[in-house]
Amino acid sequence: MPRTTRTRAATKRPRVDTAVGPRLRAARKRAGLTQRQLAGDRYTPAYISALEVGLVRPSWAALTFLSAQLGLAVHDLVREARPGWDRLTADLHLAAGDLQVAVDKYTDLLEAAAGADAALIRRGRAEGLARLGRARDALPDAAAAYEALTRAGQSSDAAYAGYWLAYAHHQLDNTAEARALLHQILAEVRAGLKVQADFKLRILVALAILESWDGHDDRALTLLEEGRALTDEMDDLRRAVFLFQLASSYSETGDHEAALRAGTAALPLFEAASAERDATSLRNTLALTYLRLGNTARATELAAEARELSARSSDQALLAHVAETEAQIALAKGDHAAVRERIAEALDLARATDNTHAQSSALLTLARSQRQTKDRAAEATFSQAVELLRKVGPRPRLAEVLREWAELLVSQKRHAEAVDLLQEALGA
């Protein structure tokens, strides 16, 4: 009788392995392999399919072969499922700036997630994709997470998803949608929604950039000054890195509770370190705003603070923006030698970090300086800026550069060419 019971139970559970299969399938898809390609000349596609759906249990030899095909360690396929630690690991990689690693981990987690858990994972993946510059890919995840978390009444989590949804819209030139979302989230935060101070700072900076872009420098300045009060308490990134390494070590030794404790302690420190970057960005944006308002002295002070902060954090992408800001200040002072020096630095840093926004801004500032000094290279510099902006946008900046290039051509009595540029500017 016991044997019969076991036989019947076995027939009710034909799947013999539910852990390896999903991981194998996710890893294969991530590697871009078909089942036939993964099988190689040792196994059959049917065997790979049976493994992935859990109909057979792989031998150690099979696991060794398949992990080598996928470029993974065997334990990546067979390790015990630990949802809490796995999710935290993805969050920590995201906070630490290991963006592609985080995106891959979130993608794996989505295989078995549902409901609010899936929404939170999508929110994390949306942030990773957005920060990688893949706004079009981030948009569906951010929108789905925002809607699901809002419906579930998880207002704070929904606010974070809404920020990345606005970020994606902004990158795709849907500025009206981005502004509306950010204002809505800011209103909720001001009404008492519990979020971290660095998140409120991020919203204020994002809105200030949008307002400044539209020429509303007074509104931008008000938002930035509000945000400046939030930048006083910043934690040490090195402590966060230490805790992350400690958490990883605990995980490797099997002490998952200790790993969760250390990892949970590291996460807010990483987020605080990211707030320091936002504080640097805020000072840089403030410097530009004061410059537009004619206060070059204050702009110079704030740009110097931004340079010190960005140099301390070795953030080359942000330093490219700061150098370009300093070039704009030098241009306002009529110091064209300093303009050239700062622009050379900005362009080197921007190209090294693939920071196309800083690159286009630097080219425009250089073209303006060259135009003022009647340097014949101005037209070539305008042309470089336009070529870059036609590829990556944003379109409002493209229109701005086209108009200034047209003005240069008009001054040279090349009216027909100027008209062509102005027509393109209108379309942009």
Side-chain angles (χ1 to χ4, degrees):
M1 183 65 69
R3 181 177 298 174
T4 303
T5 302
R6 285 197 296 271
T7 302
R8 287 176 179 172
T11 62
K12 292 179 182 178
R13 295 187 294 106
R15 295 175 184 271
V16 298
D17 193 295
T18 58
V20 173
R23 292 196 193 102
L24 181 64
R25 181 173 61 252
R28 175 178 62 78
K29 289 182 176 179
R30 191 164 61 244
L33 298 177
T34 65
Q35 290 179 337
R36 182 176 298 281
Q37 289 169 327
L38 179 58
D41 56 3
R42 183 178 299 189
Y43 300 103
T44 66
Y47 176 66
I48 302 300
S49 177
L51 286 176
E52 290 186 350
V53 299
L55 294 177
V56 296
R57 179 176 286 114
S59 66
W60 188 255
L63 285 170
T64 302
F65 173 79
L66 296 174
S67 61
Q69 290 279 86
L70 294 165
L72 299 173
V74 173
H75 71 77
D76 286 333
L77 294 177
V78 300
R79 62 186 170 81
E80 178 187 358
R82 305 186 300 276
W85 169 248
D86 289 345
R87 165 72 189 287
L88 180 61
T89 301
D91 290 344
L92 285 165
H93 278 291
L94 180 68
D98 301 327
L99 302 179
Q100 189 58 57
V101 173
V103 167
D104 290 343
K105 288 185 178 296
Y106 287 127
T107 301
D108 288 346
L109 289 170
L110 273 175
E111 290 275 335
D117 286 341
L120 290 170
I121 292 168
R122 286 190 181 279
R123 187 192 73 183
R125 188 167 71 172
E127 177 179 346
L129 290 168
R131 290 170 60 187
L132 283 168
R134 295 164 58 186
R136 199 169 299 281
D137 294 329
L139 193 64
D141 273 344
Y146 181 60
E147 292 172 9
L149 292 168
T150 300
R151 284 197 306 270
Q154 296 178 226
S155 302
S156 296
D157 289 322
Y160 286 94
Y163 172 84
W164 290 107
L165 179 57
Y167 184 101
H169 275 301
H170 183 208
Q171 294 302 307
L172 295 171
D173 289 336
N174 303 327
T175 52
E177 186 73 21
R179 182 182 288 102
L181 272 167
L182 290 170
H183 274 298
Q184 178 182 330
I185 296 168
L186 181 59
E188 292 171 1
V189 171
R190 284 172 169 164
L193 182 67
K194 293 189 179 300
V195 295
Q196 293 185 10
D198 70 288
F199 180 65
K200 183 178 180 182
L201 172 63
R202 186 177 293 177
I203 298 170
L204 290 166
V205 171
L207 275 172
I209 290 171
L210 285 171
E211 296 292 359
S212 180
W213 190 265
D214 287 344
H216 302 142
D217 291 327
D218 52 342
R219 298 181 196 173
L221 189 57
T222 300
L223 291 164
L224 291 169
E225 290 294 2
E226 180 181 351
R228 198 169 180 221
L230 304 174
T231 65
D232 294 335
E233 298 180 4
M234 300 298 173
D235 288 297
D236 193 343
L237 178 60
R238 284 174 295 183
R239 184 167 167 236
V241 171
F242 169 77
L243 285 170
F244 187 16
Q245 292 171 338
L246 182 63
S248 298
S249 298
Y250 277 134
S251 178
E252 291 297 324
T253 60
D255 192 346
H256 307 315
E257 290 184 3
L260 284 168
R261 285 196 300 272
T264 302
L267 188 56
L269 298 180
F270 273 121
E271 290 169 344
S274 121
E276 182 169 335
R277 187 187 193 283
D278 290 333
T280 307
S281 180
L282 182 147
R283 282 170 170 77
N284 187 61
T285 307
L286 264 176
L288 286 170
T289 304
Y290 274 110
L291 179 62
R292 291 191 184 100
L293 295 174
N295 191 340
T296 54
R298 186 68 181 125
T300 301
E301 292 174 6
L302 287 161
E305 292 176 15
R307 173 171 284 276
E308 181 181 353
L309 286 170
S310 56
R312 188 170 69 195
S313 63
S314 301
D315 191 328
Q316 292 190 324
L318 187 51
L319 187 56
H321 285 293
V322 174
E324 196 279 321
T325 296
E326 291 173 328
Q328 288 194 44
I329 295 169
L331 182 61
K333 294 177 178 178
D335 187 349
H336 295 283
V339 172
R340 289 191 295 273
E341 183 179 343
R342 292 280 73 84
I343 289 298
E345 178 188 11
L347 287 174
D348 285 345
L349 291 167
R351 287 165 180 155
T353 57
D354 199 26
N355 187 341
T356 56
H357 180 73
Q359 189 177 341
S360 63
S361 297
L363 288 170
L364 177 56
T365 301
L366 177 59
R368 287 170 173 168
S369 174
Q370 290 169 334
R371 185 181 171 192
Q372 287 184 17
T373 57
K374 302 190 183 306
D375 187 332
R376 292 183 179 179
E379 185 174 352
T381 306
F382 275 123
S383 179
Q384 288 181 54
V386 166
E387 183 179 356
L388 178 63
L389 289 165
R390 281 172 177 158
K391 293 178 182 176
V392 300
R395 295 184 66 77
R397 171 59 60 86
L398 172 60
E400 180 183 10
V401 178
L402 286 166
R403 284 193 295 269
E404 293 199 28
W405 188 4
E407 289 173 7
L408 174 64
L409 295 180
V410 168
S411 70
Q412 298 172 353
K413 303 189 183 305
R414 296 161 61 185
H415 299 94
E417 295 171 74
V419 168
D420 289 341
L421 293 178
L422 289 172
Q423 287 177 336
E424 184 180 354
L426 286 171

